[in-house]
Amino acid sequence: MFMHAYGDNRKSAIETGLEGSPMATELIVMMKKRKEPWTGTATNLLKELSSHADEHTRGLRSWPKSAKGLGNQLRRLATALRAVGIAVEHNREPGTGKRIIKVCKHSSQDQSTPKQ
């Protein structure tokens, strides 16, 4: 009983934290609409998210102003995003060393709930 309540409270806290990030909110909405994973550079992802966000959202201080800022936010929020079913991977393209981000849906069931 306690562990169930603890897990629910933890999930609620994670979701509330993500709501405080306009970038995470836009990423979650974008991924809910997609059937396939998104793969590309941080610059491409920032353009994609910016095209979906309204002007007010893009003007917020917490909205990433650069690809580096987006990458940093994604790294900071990776655990919370995983808890709501979105996995973010950072890799390098073989041969070129180009940084690639892959965002995909995954089963978040019991990811945020501790084992009993």
Side-chain angles (χ1 to χ4, degrees):
M1 184 65 123
F2 170 77
M3 292 306 285
H4 182 69
Y6 172 77
D8 288 346
N9 286 342
R10 186 170 175 203
K11 184 169 175 114
S12 176
I14 289 169
E15 290 170 354
T16 300
L18 287 173
E19 288 171 4
S21 168
M23 180 279 300
T25 302
E26 289 297 328
L27 183 64
I28 291 166
V29 169
M30 181 184 95
M31 290 309 295
K32 282 183 180 179
K33 294 177 183 176
R34 293 180 66 90
K35 291 182 182 2
E36 299 294 321
W38 185 94
T39 303
T41 65
T43 300
N44 297 127
L45 182 56
L46 183 56
K47 286 178 186 174
E48 176 100 14
L49 292 173
S50 293
S51 72
H52 295 290
D54 61 30
E55 189 174 333
H56 171 74
T57 301
R58 290 189 312 267
L60 295 171
R61 280 188 74 179
S62 56
W63 185 260
K65 306 295 186 256
S66 67
K68 182 179 179 182
L70 174 68
N72 289 340
Q73 283 190 30
L74 287 172
R75 283 183 185 85
R76 265 195 314 276
L77 296 171
T79 302
L81 287 167
R82 224 178 359 263
V84 297
I86 296 177
V88 179
E89 298 174 14
H90 298 264
N91 297 306
R92 290 211 179 242
E93 194 174 78
T96 65
K98 188 181 210 180
R99 294 178 182 155
I100 301 295
I101 297 172
K102 181 177 181 181
V103 184
C104 57
K105 297 178 193 176
H106 78 98
S107 173
S108 64
Q109 192 141 11
D110 295 303
Q111 291 286 326
S112 63
T113 306
K115 302 292 180 206
Q116 293 182 2

